[in-house]
Amino acid sequence: MNITLPLPPSANRYWRTYKGRTVVSEEAKTYKVAAGWMAKAAGVEPMRGPVSVTLRVFRGRKAGDLDNKIKVCLDSLNGIAWDDDSQVVELHAFMADDKQNPRVEVELRGA
């Protein structure tokens, strides 16, 4: 199954400290909800067994690290594309630039 999601916030913006506690940022929460709804609307249902994920990250400008986009994107699919992220046993990620259409193309397969 293939789906396209918006470009996630960086993992550097994923966590925030609030009153001495580390919590998921509002930006990350908002992204996870929106991406989850988009995946469901595209017909994604939880896969059973091991999962292989390929991410093609198209950033809007030449800034940011590939690995900082991966966590937020995968977390947004937890409970939607698979029951638990421990099912992800294979991960491929690529990054390119697309100023006009930043996005993440996600390919999900049974491993």
Short mmCIF file of all heavy atoms in Angstrom, two decimals, residues 30-79:
data_model
loop_
_atom_site.label_atom_id
_atom_site.label_comp_id
_atom_site.label_asym_id
_atom_site.label_seq_id
_atom_site.Cartn_x
_atom_site.Cartn_y
_atom_site.Cartn_z
N THR A 30 -0.48 17.38 16.65
CA THR A 30 -1.33 17.80 15.54
C THR A 30 -0.98 17.04 14.27
O THR A 30 -1.87 16.58 13.54
CB THR A 30 -1.19 19.33 15.31
OG1 THR A 30 -1.60 20.00 16.51
CG2 THR A 30 -2.03 19.79 14.14
N TYR A 31 0.32 16.90 14.00
CA TYR A 31 0.75 16.16 12.81
C TYR A 31 0.29 14.71 12.89
O TYR A 31 -0.24 14.16 11.91
CB TYR A 31 2.27 16.21 12.63
CG TYR A 31 2.70 15.38 11.45
CD1 TYR A 31 2.65 15.91 10.17
CD2 TYR A 31 3.09 14.05 11.59
CE1 TYR A 31 2.99 15.15 9.06
CE2 TYR A 31 3.43 13.27 10.49
CZ TYR A 31 3.38 13.83 9.23
OH TYR A 31 3.69 13.07 8.14
N LYS A 32 0.50 14.07 14.03
CA LYS A 32 0.15 12.66 14.17
C LYS A 32 -1.34 12.42 13.93
O LYS A 32 -1.72 11.47 13.25
CB LYS A 32 0.57 12.15 15.55
CG LYS A 32 2.08 12.02 15.69
CD LYS A 32 2.54 11.84 17.11
CE LYS A 32 2.10 10.55 17.72
NZ LYS A 32 2.74 10.30 19.02
N VAL A 33 -2.18 13.30 14.45
CA VAL A 33 -3.63 13.16 14.24
C VAL A 33 -3.98 13.35 12.77
O VAL A 33 -4.71 12.54 12.18
CB VAL A 33 -4.41 14.16 15.14
CG1 VAL A 33 -5.87 14.22 14.74
CG2 VAL A 33 -4.27 13.77 16.60
N ALA A 34 -3.45 14.40 12.15
CA ALA A 34 -3.75 14.67 10.74
C ALA A 34 -3.26 13.54 9.84
O ALA A 34 -3.99 13.08 8.95
CB ALA A 34 -3.13 16.00 10.31
N ALA A 35 -2.03 13.09 10.07
CA ALA A 35 -1.48 12.01 9.25
C ALA A 35 -2.26 10.72 9.46
O ALA A 35 -2.51 9.97 8.50
CB ALA A 35 0.00 11.80 9.59
N GLY A 36 -2.68 10.47 10.68
CA GLY A 36 -3.48 9.28 10.96
C GLY A 36 -4.80 9.29 10.21
O GLY A 36 -5.20 8.28 9.61
N TRP A 37 -5.47 10.43 10.20
CA TRP A 37 -6.74 10.55 9.46
C TRP A 37 -6.52 10.39 7.96
O TRP A 37 -7.31 9.76 7.27
CB TRP A 37 -7.44 11.86 9.77
CG TRP A 37 -8.17 11.83 11.07
CD1 TRP A 37 -7.85 12.51 12.21
CD2 TRP A 37 -9.33 11.05 11.38
NE1 TRP A 37 -8.73 12.19 13.21
CE2 TRP A 37 -9.66 11.30 12.73
CE3 TRP A 37 -10.11 10.15 10.66
CZ2 TRP A 37 -10.75 10.70 13.36
CZ3 TRP A 37 -11.19 9.55 11.29
CH2 TRP A 37 -11.50 9.83 12.62
N MET A 38 -5.42 10.96 7.46
CA MET A 38 -5.13 10.84 6.03
C MET A 38 -4.88 9.38 5.66
O MET A 38 -5.35 8.91 4.62
CB MET A 38 -3.92 11.69 5.66
CG MET A 38 -4.20 13.18 5.74
SD MET A 38 -2.73 14.16 5.41
CE MET A 38 -2.71 14.05 3.62
N ALA A 39 -4.16 8.67 6.50
CA ALA A 39 -3.88 7.25 6.24
C ALA A 39 -5.18 6.44 6.26
O ALA A 39 -5.41 5.60 5.38
CB ALA A 39 -2.88 6.72 7.26
N LYS A 40 -6.01 6.69 7.25
CA LYS A 40 -7.29 5.98 7.32
C LYS A 40 -8.15 6.27 6.10
O LYS A 40 -8.78 5.38 5.53
CB LYS A 40 -8.04 6.36 8.59
CG LYS A 40 -7.44 5.77 9.85
CD LYS A 40 -8.22 6.22 11.07
CE LYS A 40 -7.59 5.69 12.33
NZ LYS A 40 -8.30 6.12 13.54
N ALA A 41 -8.19 7.54 5.69
CA ALA A 41 -8.98 7.93 4.51
C ALA A 41 -8.46 7.25 3.24
O ALA A 41 -9.23 6.99 2.32
CB ALA A 41 -8.96 9.45 4.34
N ALA A 42 -7.16 6.95 3.22
CA ALA A 42 -6.57 6.26 2.07
C ALA A 42 -6.79 4.75 2.13
O ALA A 42 -6.36 4.03 1.23
CB ALA A 42 -5.07 6.57 1.99
N GLY A 43 -7.45 4.28 3.19
CA GLY A 43 -7.76 2.86 3.29
C GLY A 43 -6.74 2.03 4.04
O GLY A 43 -6.78 0.80 4.01
N VAL A 44 -5.83 2.68 4.75
CA VAL A 44 -4.82 1.94 5.51
C VAL A 44 -5.48 1.28 6.71
O VAL A 44 -6.25 1.90 7.44
CB VAL A 44 -3.68 2.88 5.98
CG1 VAL A 44 -2.72 2.15 6.91
CG2 VAL A 44 -2.94 3.45 4.79
N GLU A 45 -5.18 0.01 6.88
CA GLU A 45 -5.65 -0.75 8.04
C GLU A 45 -4.44 -1.42 8.67
O GLU A 45 -3.44 -1.69 7.99
CB GLU A 45 -6.67 -1.80 7.61
CG GLU A 45 -7.96 -1.18 7.10
CD GLU A 45 -9.00 -2.24 6.75
OE1 GLU A 45 -8.75 -3.44 7.00
OE2 GLU A 45 -10.05 -1.86 6.22
N PRO A 46 -4.50 -1.71 9.98
CA PRO A 46 -3.34 -2.31 10.65
C PRO A 46 -2.91 -3.63 10.00
O PRO A 46 -3.74 -4.52 9.78
CB PRO A 46 -3.82 -2.54 12.08
CG PRO A 46 -4.94 -1.56 12.26
CD PRO A 46 -5.59 -1.44 10.91
N MET A 47 -1.63 -3.71 9.67
CA MET A 47 -1.07 -4.93 9.10
C MET A 47 -0.75 -5.88 10.25
O MET A 47 -0.45 -5.46 11.36
CB MET A 47 0.20 -4.61 8.31
CG MET A 47 -0.07 -3.68 7.13
SD MET A 47 1.43 -3.26 6.22
CE MET A 47 1.66 -4.77 5.31
N ARG A 48 -0.82 -7.14 9.96
CA ARG A 48 -0.48 -8.17 10.94
C ARG A 48 0.90 -8.70 10.59
O ARG A 48 1.27 -8.80 9.42
CB ARG A 48 -1.50 -9.30 10.92
CG ARG A 48 -2.93 -8.84 11.09
CD ARG A 48 -3.20 -8.34 12.51
NE ARG A 48 -4.56 -7.84 12.60
CZ ARG A 48 -4.86 -6.65 13.07
NH1 ARG A 48 -3.92 -5.84 13.47
NH2 ARG A 48 -6.10 -6.27 13.14
N GLY A 49 1.69 -9.03 11.58
CA GLY A 49 3.02 -9.59 11.34
C GLY A 49 4.04 -8.52 11.02
O GLY A 49 3.79 -7.32 11.16
N PRO A 50 5.22 -8.95 10.58
CA PRO A 50 6.31 -8.02 10.29
C PRO A 50 5.96 -7.08 9.13
O PRO A 50 5.29 -7.46 8.18
CB PRO A 50 7.48 -8.93 9.90
CG PRO A 50 7.09 -10.31 10.30
CD PRO A 50 5.60 -10.35 10.38
N VAL A 51 6.46 -5.84 9.23
CA VAL A 51 6.15 -4.81 8.25
C VAL A 51 7.45 -4.21 7.70
O VAL A 51 8.39 -3.97 8.45
CB VAL A 51 5.29 -3.69 8.88
CG1 VAL A 51 5.00 -2.59 7.88
CG2 VAL A 51 4.00 -4.26 9.44
N SER A 52 7.46 -3.95 6.40
CA SER A 52 8.55 -3.24 5.74
C SER A 52 8.02 -1.86 5.34
O SER A 52 6.93 -1.76 4.77
CB SER A 52 9.01 -4.01 4.50
OG SER A 52 9.93 -3.24 3.76
N VAL A 53 8.78 -0.82 5.65
CA VAL A 53 8.37 0.55 5.36
C VAL A 53 9.43 1.23 4.50
O VAL A 53 10.62 1.16 4.82
CB VAL A 53 8.16 1.36 6.65
CG1 VAL A 53 7.72 2.79 6.33
CG2 VAL A 53 7.15 0.69 7.57
N THR A 54 9.00 1.87 3.44
CA THR A 54 9.88 2.73 2.64
C THR A 54 9.32 4.13 2.71
O THR A 54 8.14 4.35 2.46
CB THR A 54 9.94 2.25 1.17
OG1 THR A 54 10.44 0.91 1.15
CG2 THR A 54 10.84 3.15 0.35
N LEU A 55 10.19 5.09 3.07
CA LEU A 55 9.81 6.50 3.15
C LEU A 55 10.60 7.28 2.13
O LEU A 55 11.83 7.17 2.06
CB LEU A 55 10.11 7.07 4.54
CG LEU A 55 9.43 6.40 5.72
CD1 LEU A 55 9.98 6.97 7.02
CD2 LEU A 55 7.93 6.59 5.66
N ARG A 56 9.92 8.07 1.34
CA ARG A 56 10.57 9.00 0.42
C ARG A 56 10.18 10.39 0.88
O ARG A 56 9.04 10.82 0.72
CB ARG A 56 10.12 8.73 -1.01
CG ARG A 56 10.69 7.44 -1.55
CD ARG A 56 10.24 7.13 -2.97
NE ARG A 56 10.75 5.85 -3.38
CZ ARG A 56 10.20 4.66 -3.07
NH1 ARG A 56 9.11 4.63 -2.34
NH2 ARG A 56 10.74 3.54 -3.48
N VAL A 57 11.14 11.07 1.50
CA VAL A 57 10.91 12.38 2.10
C VAL A 57 11.32 13.45 1.10
O VAL A 57 12.46 13.48 0.65
CB VAL A 57 11.71 12.53 3.41
CG1 VAL A 57 11.50 13.90 4.01
CG2 VAL A 57 11.33 11.43 4.41
N PHE A 58 10.37 14.30 0.74
CA PHE A 58 10.63 15.41 -0.17
C PHE A 58 10.49 16.69 0.64
O PHE A 58 9.39 17.11 0.98
CB PHE A 58 9.63 15.39 -1.34
CG PHE A 58 9.79 14.19 -2.22
CD1 PHE A 58 9.11 13.02 -1.95
CD2 PHE A 58 10.65 14.23 -3.31
CE1 PHE A 58 9.25 11.90 -2.75
CE2 PHE A 58 10.80 13.12 -4.13
CZ PHE A 58 10.12 11.95 -3.85
N ARG A 59 11.63 17.31 0.96
CA ARG A 59 11.62 18.51 1.78
C ARG A 59 11.45 19.75 0.90
O ARG A 59 11.82 19.76 -0.27
CB ARG A 59 12.88 18.60 2.63
CG ARG A 59 14.15 18.62 1.83
CD ARG A 59 15.37 18.49 2.70
NE ARG A 59 16.54 18.51 1.81
CZ ARG A 59 17.77 18.54 2.22
NH1 ARG A 59 18.03 18.54 3.50
NH2 ARG A 59 18.76 18.57 1.36
N GLY A 60 10.89 20.79 1.51
CA GLY A 60 10.62 22.02 0.78
C GLY A 60 11.83 22.92 0.62
O GLY A 60 11.83 23.80 -0.23
N ARG A 61 12.84 22.71 1.44
CA ARG A 61 14.08 23.48 1.32
C ARG A 61 15.24 22.63 1.81
O ARG A 61 15.04 21.64 2.51
CB ARG A 61 14.00 24.80 2.10
CG ARG A 61 13.80 24.63 3.58
CD ARG A 61 13.58 25.99 4.24
NE ARG A 61 13.39 25.83 5.67
CZ ARG A 61 14.37 25.92 6.56
NH1 ARG A 61 15.59 26.22 6.18
NH2 ARG A 61 14.11 25.76 7.83
N LYS A 62 16.42 22.99 1.43
CA LYS A 62 17.61 22.21 1.76
C LYS A 62 18.00 22.44 3.22
O LYS A 62 18.98 23.10 3.52
CB LYS A 62 18.77 22.58 0.85
CG LYS A 62 18.54 22.17 -0.59
CD LYS A 62 19.76 22.46 -1.44
CE LYS A 62 19.52 22.16 -2.88
NZ LYS A 62 19.38 20.80 -3.24
N ALA A 63 17.20 21.91 4.11
CA ALA A 63 17.47 22.00 5.54
C ALA A 63 16.85 20.79 6.23
O ALA A 63 15.83 20.29 5.80
CB ALA A 63 16.89 23.29 6.11
N GLY A 64 17.48 20.35 7.29
CA GLY A 64 16.94 19.24 8.06
C GLY A 64 17.55 17.91 7.68
O GLY A 64 18.01 17.72 6.56
N ASP A 65 17.59 17.05 8.65
CA ASP A 65 18.17 15.72 8.48
C ASP A 65 17.06 14.70 8.23
O ASP A 65 15.97 14.80 8.80
CB ASP A 65 18.93 15.29 9.74
CG ASP A 65 20.08 16.22 10.06
OD1 ASP A 65 20.59 16.87 9.13
OD2 ASP A 65 20.46 16.28 11.24
N LEU A 66 17.37 13.72 7.42
CA LEU A 66 16.42 12.66 7.10
C LEU A 66 15.95 11.94 8.37
O LEU A 66 14.76 11.71 8.55
CB LEU A 66 17.06 11.67 6.12
CG LEU A 66 16.24 10.44 5.75
CD1 LEU A 66 14.93 10.85 5.09
CD2 LEU A 66 17.05 9.55 4.83
N ASP A 67 16.88 11.59 9.24
CA ASP A 67 16.51 10.82 10.43
C ASP A 67 15.57 11.59 11.36
O ASP A 67 14.80 10.99 12.10
CB ASP A 67 17.74 10.32 11.18
CG ASP A 67 18.63 11.43 11.69
OD1 ASP A 67 18.75 12.47 11.01
OD2 ASP A 67 19.23 11.24 12.76
N ASN A 68 15.59 12.92 11.31
CA ASN A 68 14.70 13.71 12.16
C ASN A 68 13.26 13.69 11.67
O ASN A 68 12.36 14.08 12.40
CB ASN A 68 15.20 15.15 12.27
CG ASN A 68 16.38 15.27 13.18
OD1 ASN A 68 16.62 14.43 14.03
ND2 ASN A 68 17.16 16.32 13.00
N LYS A 69 13.02 13.29 10.45
CA LYS A 69 11.66 13.21 9.91
C LYS A 69 11.05 11.82 10.13
O LYS A 69 9.84 11.67 10.18
CB LYS A 69 11.66 13.52 8.40
CG LYS A 69 12.19 14.89 8.05
CD LYS A 69 11.32 15.98 8.59
CE LYS A 69 11.81 17.34 8.12
NZ LYS A 69 11.11 18.42 8.78
N ILE A 70 11.90 10.82 10.23
CA ILE A 70 11.44 9.44 10.27
C ILE A 70 10.60 9.14 11.50
O ILE A 70 9.52 8.57 11.41
CB ILE A 70 12.63 8.47 10.16
CG1 ILE A 70 13.27 8.60 8.77
CG2 ILE A 70 12.20 7.04 10.43
CD1 ILE A 70 14.57 7.85 8.63
N LYS A 71 11.07 9.50 12.70
CA LYS A 71 10.37 9.14 13.94
C LYS A 71 8.95 9.66 13.97
O LYS A 71 8.02 8.92 14.28
CB LYS A 71 11.13 9.64 15.15
CG LYS A 71 10.34 9.39 16.44
CD LYS A 71 11.19 9.19 17.61
CE LYS A 71 10.41 8.90 18.87
NZ LYS A 71 9.66 7.67 18.86
N VAL A 72 8.77 10.94 13.67
CA VAL A 72 7.43 11.53 13.74
C VAL A 72 6.50 10.85 12.73
O VAL A 72 5.35 10.55 13.04
CB VAL A 72 7.48 13.05 13.53
CG1 VAL A 72 6.09 13.65 13.63
CG2 VAL A 72 8.40 13.70 14.56
N CYS A 73 7.01 10.59 11.54
CA CYS A 73 6.20 9.95 10.51
C CYS A 73 5.78 8.54 10.94
O CYS A 73 4.61 8.18 10.86
CB CYS A 73 6.98 9.90 9.20
SG CYS A 73 6.00 9.33 7.82
N LEU A 74 6.74 7.74 11.41
CA LEU A 74 6.41 6.39 11.85
C LEU A 74 5.49 6.39 13.06
O LEU A 74 4.56 5.58 13.13
CB LEU A 74 7.69 5.60 12.15
CG LEU A 74 8.58 5.27 10.96
CD1 LEU A 74 9.81 4.50 11.41
CD2 LEU A 74 7.83 4.50 9.89
N ASP A 75 5.71 7.28 14.00
CA ASP A 75 4.83 7.36 15.17
C ASP A 75 3.40 7.68 14.78
O ASP A 75 2.45 7.21 15.40
CB ASP A 75 5.34 8.41 16.16
CG ASP A 75 6.49 7.91 17.03
OD1 ASP A 75 6.88 6.73 16.90
OD2 ASP A 75 7.00 8.71 17.83
N SER A 76 3.23 8.48 13.74
CA SER A 76 1.88 8.85 13.31
C SER A 76 1.11 7.65 12.74
O SER A 76 -0.11 7.67 12.70
CB SER A 76 1.92 9.98 12.29
OG SER A 76 2.44 9.52 11.06
N LEU A 77 1.83 6.62 12.33
CA LEU A 77 1.18 5.44 11.75
C LEU A 77 1.00 4.31 12.76
O LEU A 77 0.39 3.29 12.44
CB LEU A 77 1.99 4.95 10.54
CG LEU A 77 2.04 5.94 9.38
CD1 LEU A 77 3.01 5.45 8.31
CD2 LEU A 77 0.66 6.18 8.80
N ASN A 78 1.52 4.49 13.97
CA ASN A 78 1.39 3.48 15.01
C ASN A 78 -0.09 3.34 15.40
O ASN A 78 -0.76 4.33 15.66
CB ASN A 78 2.23 3.88 16.23
CG ASN A 78 2.59 2.69 17.09
OD1 ASN A 78 2.77 1.59 16.59
ND2 ASN A 78 2.69 2.93 18.38
N GLY A 79 -0.60 2.11 15.39
CA GLY A 79 -2.00 1.87 15.68
C GLY A 79 -2.90 2.06 14.48
O GLY A 79 -4.10 1.83 14.57
#
